[in-house]
Amino acid sequence: MSLAPLAPWPLLVVLAGLAALLVWWPAGRRERAESLTARARRTAMVGVLLVAALRPGLPGTDVTVDAADLDVYFLADTTTSVMAQDYAGTRPRIEGVRADLKGIAAQLPGARYTLLTFDHQTVTRLPLTSDGAALAAAADTLVAETSAWSQGSSVTVARTALREALERGRKAHPERARLVFYLGDGEQTAPDPPEPFDVDAALVNGGAVLGYGTAEGGAMEQTGTRSGGHVLDPATGQPARSAIDERQLGAIAAQLALPYLHRTSDDGAAAVVDRVGLKELGSLSSGDSTRSVGGRTELSWVLLLALVLLAAWELGAAVAGLSPARRPRTTRAGSSGAAGSSGDPVLAHSEGPAR
């Protein structure tokens, strides 16, 4: 059995110890009111959570992965315009963004990925990781900003965050090649012209700028509301339309010294990665470009299931504790028909006639 803790194991042990201390810490009346069973149950929950965080597992069959020494930086547009329905026909553009995020990662196994999204601000959705499943999950849950809050955005708002991320990557691993993929529609809605991507050319070894949408444009789905429908143009009251700005996207590609590709359908991103030129980068390990790593069967799911059962027990106990307790019935002293204050029956004696 092996462990792959989510955090340094001493830290996890300390946190679990503090949680157990809080469970057993004396608290006056609470100490007398709570049963030993309740505290033992909560202690068990802390213990199970600790072991699950340590991620125990069993060795499995070795698997082969690509040994590409690549760090891949994704910049994904999440402005309201990516909800325009003109990708691959009438599908929202964001579906193309999601598909290409997952497709590029699938074409670059063994690489490390980070995902930054931008609308009126830039957010790091996924820090640099080699977990392709985590990137796929982040792509599947990618959503556009709430349309009612949209106040205009710049297509280069992520320039500072990208530059800083690339600089950190070079400092930590100067031997790794860095790829940048910009995914958006190029629509500038901020009042001022976009600032250029002032990124050192030595920080970017390859990648591509990917554009989504059509020149004719499409109506934008509303986001952040249950009513659905389209974003309306306040001037006409009709559905507002968004169109791709390939000139703007071409300018971004020139600033980053990357090729520009117009994406109109999901082809698994094979065409995108072909433009990167991995061989020209020299980013693959010399000789055999694959390596064998030990497979692993995770056991944390069993512990999490046990934690769910303990939590259900705790919830049931809490609900039961809220039920009103039955109160014993009492009798009033001196009520009619009562023969004495003690409630004991009094025998009535009848006397016969005097003789």
Side-chain angles (χ1 to χ4, degrees), residues 7-18 50:
W9 68 264
L11 175 62
L12 295 176
V13 171
V14 169
L15 293 176
L18 291 175
L50 168 63

Side-chain angles (χ1 to χ4, degrees), residues 6 12 16 43-54 303-304 307:
L6 298 175
L12 295 176
T43 304
M45 293 173 66
V46 172
V48 170
L49 187 59
L50 168 63
V51 179
L54 292 174
L303 297 162
L304 293 176
L307 182 64

Side-chain angles (χ1 to χ4, degrees), residues 126-154:
L126 185 71
L128 205 57
T129 178
S130 59
D131 190 347
L135 177 65
D140 285 334
T141 57
L142 193 67
V143 295
E145 64 178 342
T146 301
S147 52
W149 299 346
S150 179
Q151 299 178 352
S153 58
S154 172

Side-chain angles (χ1 to χ4, degrees), residues 259-321:
Y260 166 69
L261 295 174
H262 186 199
R263 303 293 290 156
T264 59
S265 63
D266 181 9
D267 60 1
V272 175
V273 177
D274 286 344
R275 295 290 297 272
V276 173
L278 295 180
K279 292 182 179 179
E280 289 77 0
L281 287 174
S283 59
L284 297 179
S285 303
S286 59
D288 187 3
S289 65
T290 62
R291 57 189 171 92
S292 181
V293 298
R296 194 167 181 272
T297 302
E298 290 279 352
L299 299 179
S300 297
W301 68 271
V302 179
L303 297 162
L304 293 176
L305 179 59
L307 182 64
V308 169
L309 296 176
L310 287 170
W313 185 10
E314 177 71 16
L315 180 61
V319 171

Side-chain angles (χ1 to χ4, degrees), residues 78-121:
T78 53
T79 58
T80 303
S81 61
V82 295
M83 297 305 295
Q85 298 168 309
D86 60 351
Y87 167 76
T90 59
R91 293 161 57 190
R93 296 170 188 168
I94 197 169
E95 291 189 12
V97 174
R98 292 172 182 152
D100 281 345
L101 286 172
K102 294 186 290 184
I104 293 171
Q107 294 286 328
L108 300 174
R112 299 192 305 174
Y113 322 95
T114 188
L115 174 60
L116 291 82
T117 61
F118 64 91
D119 35 63
H120 65 282
Q121 62 181 351

Side-chain angles (χ1 to χ4, degrees), residues 135-203:
L135 177 65
D140 285 334
T141 57
L142 193 67
V143 295
E145 64 178 342
T146 301
S147 52
W149 299 346
S150 179
Q151 299 178 352
S153 58
S154 172
V155 292
T156 60
V157 67
R159 66 190 186 283
T160 301
L162 173 63
R163 183 179 64 251
E164 293 175 350
L166 289 169
E167 289 173 347
R168 287 195 301 268
R170 179 173 64 177
K171 183 177 181 180
H173 295 281
E175 77 285 357
R176 298 179 69 89
R178 291 167 295 278
L179 305 183
V180 173
F181 291 95
Y182 179 105
L183 304 88
D185 55 29
E187 189 174 39
Q188 174 78 9
T189 56
D192 299 323
E195 296 289 336
F197 269 97
D198 50 348
V199 176
D200 184 354
L203 293 173

Side-chain angles (χ1 to χ4, degrees), residues 21 23 39 49 66-67 76 82 100 150 194 255 267 336 341 345:
L21 182 63
V23 170
R39 293 194 176 193
L49 187 59
D66 200 307
V82 295
D100 281 345
S150 179
Q255 293 164 12
D267 60 1
S336 60
S341 61

